[in-house]
Amino acid sequence: MEKNQDNGFKQLLHDQKERLKELACINRTTAVLKERKSIDETLQKIVHCLPPAWQYPEYTVARITYRNKVFMTPGFEETKWLLKHEFRTIDNTRGAIEVFYTREFETIDHGPFVEEEKDLIENLASLLAGFINSILAREMMNIPDSTVADEAIKPGTSSRQLLQRFLERYNAERDIFHDLMPFKVKEILLVANLYDAYSIEGEGRFSEYIFGEYHQLNLTSMPRVTGVSGLEEALNRLRSKHYDLIIVMLGVEKENPMKLCRKIKQKYPYIPTFLLLSSPGDVPFAKKQKAMGAPFDDYFVWTGETRVFFAMVKLLEDRVNVENDTRKGLSRIIMLVEDSAEYYSSYLPTLYTLVMEQTKHLIEDVSTDELYKVLKMRA
């Protein structure tokens, strides 16, 4: 028994040591990327970081290929004991990281390589692709790299020209954020009977949460919510001003909300209309109405959590802005595949909150001015 415990303890120490080696490799790679050298110089440095992270570094060689260029460790040779992961950059160029053992070892998870080493090489490939993509993106958008030395200042250059050069260099990246998220939901028309409106306000402190959520996440474009309780009042409001989003509550009474949706869409087909169901039990009814061509764009389930309103707003903004933001700012996309209204009504609020909070923390970690932080949060 003691011998088994001793062997188990030794194995635990061995595994811990291997994980520390892998973490050290990630840290060394990140440090090299932060130097922001040329792609070739960076890849040559990183390939030398790889062998020490594997189980048998003295029998490990590595190779990185990208754009028909090859970067290898000393004494490199190809063998049949290979762990490889490919990556692709935004210009559709393929690259690969390959790690070889120069002698045979015991077969474990992936030949002689363990599962954690497979995860490591995938993470490294992702880091490399992200680094190269950032350089390519700057080239595509003609953004000067702040790490490149200033051009020599020619004699006779005026102070005005020097100032202009300074502004162009340091504001180029900031200008991109002005072009992102051009559509913002500023006015919301909430249509609900008095009972449903009272339920929302009472259960979730609707007004308090909407304002609190935007304030907490440092979002500057806060929508204004106007509540009405009937068709005529809704139409009067729509005639008097423009609304970016209409939310119709579907409660115990179901025919009037459907009638209201039809009337609104007849007169204002260009305004997005979301249906908010009072309970999961209303989902079959909404599905049937949608299949029959009911004039609403999407539907969500009210679960007593007012963050669903925040998610509805952000989802609409993302749908409208996705083409612009991916083209101009190369924004990344999170794709959620879910056909259950009950589930995505729960997932989306959590997902949006996590993304916004993570973005906020990342921006706070960057030493920059307040305007730059506001622009990045806005985007």
Side-chain angles (χ1 to χ4, degrees):
M1 178 67 72
E2 291 182 1
K3 186 175 181 180
N4 290 337
Q5 290 179 343
D6 186 52
N7 290 337
F9 181 68
K10 288 181 179 179
Q11 183 63 42
L12 184 63
L13 288 178
H14 174 268
D15 292 344
Q16 181 69 16
K17 182 180 178 181
E18 293 302 313
R19 302 298 81 77
L20 290 175
K21 286 164 56 178
E22 293 158 7
L23 180 60
C25 180
I26 292 288
N27 290 337
R28 286 194 298 268
T29 300
T30 303
V32 172
L33 297 179
K34 286 182 178 179
E35 294 175 3
R36 296 195 64 80
K37 303 292 185 182
S38 67
I39 293 177
D40 290 359
E41 186 176 351
T42 298
L43 297 184
Q44 187 59 60
K45 283 187 175 183
I46 289 176
V47 78
H48 287 89
C49 298
L50 302 182
W54 263 252
Q55 290 186 90
Y56 311 104
E58 64 273 23
Y59 300 105
T60 303
V61 291
R63 175 172 64 189
I64 298 177
T65 55
Y66 178 70
R67 278 186 174 172
N68 299 321
K69 293 186 178 181
V70 180
F71 309 90
M72 300 179 293
T73 53
F76 176 83
E77 61 173 304
E78 284 193 17
T79 69
K80 62 181 180 180
W81 304 292
L82 163 67
L83 186 62
K84 176 179 179 179
H85 191 80
E86 295 185 347
F87 60 89
R88 188 194 298 265
T89 52
I90 55 176
D91 61 350
N92 208 31
T93 301
R94 290 181 179 273
I97 302 177
E98 299 169 288
V99 175
F100 296 85
Y101 281 150
T102 56
R103 52 156 286 192
E104 185 175 4
F105 291 99
E106 178 186 1
T107 299
I108 310 175
D109 297 322
H110 303 274
F113 303 98
V114 296
E115 184 68 30
E116 288 79 5
E117 290 171 333
K118 178 177 178 292
D119 294 338
L120 174 61
I121 199 171
E122 290 177 0
N123 288 329
L124 291 171
S126 179
L127 287 174
L128 290 190
F131 167 75
I132 297 172
N133 285 340
S134 68
I135 293 179
L136 297 178
R138 298 180 75 89
E139 293 174 354
M140 291 177 182
M141 294 181 286
N142 297 317
I143 299 175
D145 194 332
S146 59
T147 61
V148 178
D150 287 329
E151 297 177 6
I153 300 176
K154 298 179 181 179
T157 302
S158 67
S159 58
R160 185 186 184 91
Q161 290 172 318
L162 290 174
L163 178 59
Q164 184 63 38
R165 182 185 299 181
F166 173 85
L167 292 175
E168 288 176 353
R169 175 180 174 184
Y170 288 97
N171 289 342
E173 186 172 345
R174 177 180 299 173
D175 289 343
I176 294 176
F177 295 104
H178 285 285
D179 297 329
L180 299 183
M181 294 290 286
F183 170 75
K184 287 286 187 179
V185 173
K186 298 177 181 177
E187 297 285 347
I188 300 174
L189 182 64
L190 175 63
V191 186
N193 62 42
L194 296 178
Y195 175 78
D196 291 331
Y198 176 80
S199 298
I200 294 174
E201 185 68 32
E203 290 180 25
R205 305 187 309 278
F206 173 68
S207 302
E208 176 186 336
Y209 190 88
I210 286 291
F211 289 105
E213 184 76 13
Y214 276 77
H215 176 73
Q216 183 179 359
L217 296 174
N218 288 342
L219 298 177
T220 55
S221 56
M222 195 178 305
R224 177 166 53 186
V225 181
T226 302
V228 297
S229 59
L231 174 60
E232 290 304 319
E233 192 177 357
L235 293 176
N236 288 336
R237 290 282 185 173
L238 288 167
R239 280 192 290 266
S240 64
K241 68 184 298 184
H242 170 74
Y243 289 89
D244 302 299
L245 172 63
I246 300 172
I247 299 176
V248 179
M249 278 289 296
L250 181 73
V252 177
E253 212 291 310
K254 296 178 174 55
E255 291 304 321
N256 282 337
M258 290 294 99
K259 180 181 177 182
L260 186 144
C261 285
R262 293 187 185 93
K263 289 285 187 181
I264 289 177
K265 277 297 187 180
Q266 284 175 3
K267 292 181 175 292
Y268 306 95
Y270 52 87
I271 302 179
T273 302
F274 287 173
L275 206 61
L276 184 59
L277 314 181
S278 61
S279 73
D282 295 327
V283 171
F285 175 81
K287 276 187 176 181
K288 182 179 179 181
Q289 293 295 317
K290 188 70 173 175
M292 294 170 59
F296 56 86
D297 298 288
D298 214 333
Y299 58 95
F300 293 78
V301 177
W302 169 254
T303 59
E305 177 61 77
T306 44
R307 286 192 305 171
V308 70
F309 286 94
F310 176 71
M312 293 164 78
V313 170
K314 301 310 293 181
L315 179 64
L316 175 59
E317 291 177 345
D318 285 346
R319 283 179 177 175
V320 175
N321 294 316
V322 61
E323 183 177 353
N324 173 82
D325 292 359
T326 52
R327 178 170 51 86
K328 290 187 176 181
L330 299 176
S331 299
R332 302 291 182 90
I333 295 175
I334 298 176
M335 182 176 292
L336 174 64
V337 181
E338 178 57 68
D339 64 351
S340 168
E342 186 177 1
Y343 286 137
Y344 64 66
S345 297
S346 299
Y347 294 160
L348 284 174
T350 301
L351 183 59
Y352 273 116
T353 301
L354 288 173
V355 170
M356 298 302 293
E357 288 180 348
Q358 179 67 14
T359 303
K360 179 183 174 183
H361 292 320
L362 288 173
I363 293 172
E364 288 175 348
D365 289 340
V366 177
S367 177
T368 185
D369 59 87
E370 290 301 318
L371 176 59
Y372 189 64
K373 292 180 181 180
V374 170
L375 287 173
K376 294 197 79 172
M377 281 300 297
R378 174 186 177 275

